[in-house]
Amino acid sequence: MKRVLVCDKVEIEELRLGEDFSIDYRPGIAREELLSVVDGYDVLVVRSRTKVDREIMDRAGSLKLIARPGTGLDNVDLDYAKKKGIEVVNSPEALVEAVSEHTILLMLALSRNLVEAVNSTLSGKWEKEMFFGTELKGKVLGIVGLGRIGARVGYIARSFGMEVKAYDVISIPKGTLDSLSAEMLDLEEILPIADFVTIHVPLTNETRHMLNARRIGMMKTGSYLVNTSRGGVIDEQALIDALRLGRIAGAALDVFETEPPSESLRKAPNILLTPHIGGQTKEAQRHAVTIIAEKIRNYFNTVR
Ligand SMILES: NC(=O)c1ccc[n+]([C@@H]2O[C@H](COP(=O)([O-])OP(=O)(O)OC[C@H]3O[C@@H](n4cnc5c(N)ncnc54)[C@H](O)[C@@H]3O)[C@@H](O)[C@H]2O)c1
């Protein structure tokens, strides 16, 4: 019997592991308590709250697998897990639809002044003449990072009649490019021609401040910037400056260098901010646990 400790709130009914596993569901377990009970568990299931560091791993004599439904693994000491031979799995594939739809939502909200129009109408005003928008149809969408989410955003954007240009560091399969009718270009070729730029890369040493002052300065006048990937990919001060100068028409961000976002970012003109909710749909959260259950079962079926 494999023992599984679930330390954070998850859609537990989706964690269907079968009779070879016993599951203890202790969402919100305090660190001291975790340290005292962790020995004897084969699997830890965590979200972002529980920090799985050296101390926890050293106490967990039987631990073989750390499973994180969803994406971020910032709370797990991956190097130390590797050193101890503890496998770490997550399920980023579960969030693709949610983040892609959120990205399209932000593009539409920017282009139709949605938030301002709603706030104005809720306040009792009728400022019909104030809110002239633009359409997505016929516009150029620049996708930075044509991975799982970037490609799905491109696919939805195509159905709006957008033209897709993309930049990535890997070679993208021809089938993907054909389905998007996408052209691959260098980042600095995309920035001057895109009406919308949307970012879908991981945060790495190469992508940190990838959108810096010089590159934001290369963006087409009146264009929009959307980021649902990771804070830190955009130099936020450079973005604030560009918005203040009216160089670009607007920006929408779901992720920030520091979360919650700084006051200067919150006060920038023509900006929409959401609290890192790209992946937060009921479907995605359930799917993330279903996939994690499958990965846990596969691990013990194939490895041990
Ligand atoms: N907002 C949210 O709640 C939320 C939820 C899930 C994922 N995300 C983020 O969305 C992003 C994309 O996730 P994904 O699942 O599509 O990842 P993915 O790995 O499928 O795709 C990332 C793509 O970026 C490319 N890339 C890497 N470095 C690059 C560089 N220097 N220049 C250009 N391209 C580069 C990769 O080759 C890959 O094609 C990640 O940052 C992820 O953390 C955010």
Side-chain angles (χ1 to χ4, degrees):
M1 180 73 72
K2 304 294 176 202
R3 295 184 66 209
V4 180
L5 177 61
V6 183
C7 307
D8 291 322
K9 192 167 180 299
V10 302
E11 284 63 14
I12 194 69
E13 63 285 355
E14 303 297 327
L15 195 67
R16 285 186 283 269
L17 293 174
E19 57 193 19
D20 295 338
F21 295 83
S22 78
I23 301 174
D24 290 328
Y25 186 40
R26 312 249 337 240
I29 185 170
R31 183 175 172 83
E32 284 312 310
E33 176 70 3
L34 177 59
L35 280 167
S36 73
V37 302
V38 73
D39 195 20
Y41 283 101
D42 301 278
V43 183
L44 285 185
V45 177
V46 298
R47 277 226 152 101
S48 54
R49 188 197 67 96
T50 302
K51 208 165 170 347
V52 190
D53 53 17
R54 279 170 179 253
E55 196 183 5
I56 300 276
M57 287 188 245
D58 283 341
R59 291 273 186 103
S62 324
L63 188 61
K64 297 171 189 68
L65 185 62
I66 300 166
R68 184 343 181 171
T71 306
L73 287 168
D74 314 341
N75 50 320
V76 178
D77 186 338
L78 295 175
D79 291 337
Y80 198 60
K82 194 169 177 191
K83 214 162 152 187
K84 296 205 71 151
I86 299 169
E87 181 119 349
V88 181
V89 292
N90 63 349
S91 52
E93 57 274 50
L95 307 182
V96 173
E97 200 57 46
V99 182
S100 305
E101 288 188 13
H102 194 67
T103 305
I104 298 287
L105 166 74
L106 293 176
M107 286 166 54
L108 287 167
L110 281 171
S111 64
R112 299 304 294 267
N113 308 299
L114 180 77
V115 174
E116 279 186 318
V118 168
N119 286 338
S120 155
T121 313
L122 288 177
S123 75
K125 295 182 194 150
W126 188 254
E127 300 181 306
K128 197 171 159 71
E129 67 294 342
M130 288 268 295
F131 300 114
F132 270 90
T134 55
E135 294 171 12
L136 299 190
K137 186 172 181 182
K139 300 297 187 305
V140 174
L141 173 62
I143 302 178
V144 182
L146 200 61
R148 284 176 291 243
I149 296 172
R152 181 66 189 150
V153 168
Y155 192 78
I156 303 171
R158 283 293 296 159
S159 70
F160 279 86
M162 297 188 87
E163 199 184 316
V164 177
K165 311 284 180 195
Y167 167 68
D168 203 301
V169 281
I170 58 162
S171 155
I172 304 297
K174 188 173 176 308
T176 306
L177 292 181
D178 286 351
S179 70
L180 304 176
S181 305
E183 184 184 11
M184 297 303 291
L185 294 172
D186 276 342
L187 177 58
E188 297 191 0
E189 291 176 307
I190 290 178
L191 296 174
I193 59 169
D195 300 290
F196 290 81
V197 173
T198 183
I199 307 182
H200 302 288
V201 294
L203 182 62
T204 63
N205 288 338
E206 287 70 45
T207 62
R208 188 176 298 281
H209 284 196
M210 182 181 214
L211 268 283
N212 55 19
R214 188 178 67 79
R215 288 197 170 133
I216 293 174
M218 294 174 78
M219 287 178 68
K220 185 174 174 178
T221 306
S223 60
Y224 295 100
L225 180 60
V226 176
N227 185 19
T228 57
S229 65
R230 278 289 175 263
V233 171
I234 295 176
D235 177 342
E236 289 178 353
Q237 189 53 52
L239 174 62
I240 294 166
D241 293 342
L243 288 167
R244 285 202 185 125
L245 289 170
R247 272 278 304 115
I248 61 173
L253 311 176
D254 184 49
V255 288
F256 308 94
E257 289 192 294
T258 53
E259 297 186 356
S262 66
E263 190 180 356
S264 49
L265 198 58
R266 285 187 274 119
K267 293 204 164 143
N270 302 316
I271 199 159
L272 295 183
L273 310 177
T274 52
H276 203 148
I277 52 168
Q280 259 175 242
T281 63
K282 289 176 185 163
E283 293 86 346
Q285 299 308 313
R286 278 202 298 270
H287 195 195
V289 180
T290 312
I291 294 175
I292 275 299
E294 201 177 304
K295 289 187 179 178
I296 294 173
R297 286 195 310 268
N298 283 348
Y299 174 84
F300 288 102
N301 282 342
T302 57
V303 186
R304 265 100 273 231

